[in-house]
Amino acid sequence: MNEVIKAILERRSVRAYRDDPVERAHLEEIVRAGLYAPSARNTQAWHVSVVRDRAKIEELGRELKAAIIRGRVEQYLALANSPEYRMGFGAPVFMIVSADPDDSPCPKQDSALVLGNMFLAAHSLGVGSCWVNQLCPVTDDPAFRQKLDGLGVPPSHKVYGAAAFGYNAGAHPRPPIRRENTVSWIG
Ligand SMILES: Cc1cc2nc3c(=O)[nH]c(=O)nc-3n(C[C@H](O)[C@H](O)[C@H](O)COP(=O)(O)O)c2cc1C
């Protein structure tokens, strides 16, 4: 099978990570693949913060929980109140993808494509990954924003996605069953 299609079919979200760091060269390749994503009107109005400092990841995770509770973000309240919830699943690398909504007509879509490319590149290098969505609804919380500033997220940007990266500590997850009747062929 074509290697690209094989990677697309085999990639899975990984939610348990080994402690081992990911080589800088691998991370650079992963980010490079992200930055080659298509973008609306080729604005490339995105930014990727690559956080490899575990203390900073934990610190951001603590502020994330506080911001979700402060903002009463219904969708994630139970998660934020759970002592088991750990932003990034303890992975050694956490990436934040943001974009300037005034600079791109489709910042959300652009950011998702960056993450999609990075997930596939990571998988092809034996690195696991998983999207972490909880940051998006609190991107404008002032205290959380301060932490984002400290991680290089540009002030005019909103966070549209984030993800954990690292080596899978468990078995490779099985592919979820595909939902039926999601395609129409005409002609
Ligand atoms: C927009 C988006 C948000 C997601 N948010 C989370 C999340 O917050 N936490 C999580 O564990 N997985 C998250 N995921 C991963 C999905 O749960 C996962 O892709 C889905 O269950 C299919 O599994 P697979 O990635 O192994 O194919 C998210 C995926 C997408 C595309």
Side-chain angles (χ1 to χ4, degrees):
M1 191 193 293
N2 168 303
E3 286 300 312
V4 175
I5 295 173
K6 189 167 178 287
I8 290 170
L9 298 184
E10 285 181 352
R11 179 217 54 83
R12 296 275 70 80
S13 294
V14 168
R15 298 185 177 87
Y17 292 90
R18 302 206 311 255
D19 274 340
D20 331 14
V22 181
E23 299 85 333
R24 168 92 188 209
H26 276 2
L27 290 174
E28 283 175 8
E29 281 190 90
I30 292 167
V31 173
R32 186 169 149 87
L35 300 183
Y36 270 74
S39 63
R41 290 198 206 130
N42 188 30
T43 46
Q44 302 179 36
W46 48 48
H47 181 271
V48 183
S49 282
V50 184
V51 189
R52 299 189 298 155
D53 178 330
R54 280 180 182 280
K56 295 250 184 245
I57 298 172
E58 295 299 326
E59 200 182 314
L60 186 71
R62 280 194 295 277
E63 196 54 53
L64 173 65
K65 280 186 173 205
I68 290 169
I69 293 166
R70 266 198 303 275
R72 297 193 180 83
V73 181
E74 192 64 47
Q75 189 189 1
Y76 295 131
L77 263 184
L79 214 53
N81 280 310
S82 156
E84 277 96 59
Y85 175 71
R86 200 172 172 200
M87 184 199 78
F89 315 96
V93 183
F94 193 72
M95 296 201 203
I96 304 163
V97 179
S98 62
D100 187 335
D102 294 326
D103 197 12
S104 166
C106 307
K108 206 184 232 182
Q109 293 87 338
D110 297 348
S111 301
L113 284 164
V114 170
L115 277 159
N117 272 15
M118 295 204 295
F119 293 159
L120 289 176
H123 175 72
S124 77
L125 295 167
V127 177
S129 63
C130 186
W131 187 303
V132 175
N133 204 53
Q134 289 73 51
L135 291 75
C136 304
V138 296
T139 185
D140 293 324
D141 175 278
F144 188 66
R145 188 75 234 179
Q146 258 193 355
K147 297 284 178 222
L148 294 175
D149 291 347
L151 298 175
V153 177
S156 63
H157 280 207
K158 289 190 186 301
V159 173
Y160 291 105
F165 290 86
Y167 296 104
N168 189 358
H172 191 64
R174 294 171 69 82
I177 293 166
R178 294 294 114 184
R179 197 167 167 155
E180 289 183 13
N181 303 319
T182 58
V183 182
S184 295
W185 289 82
I186 318 297

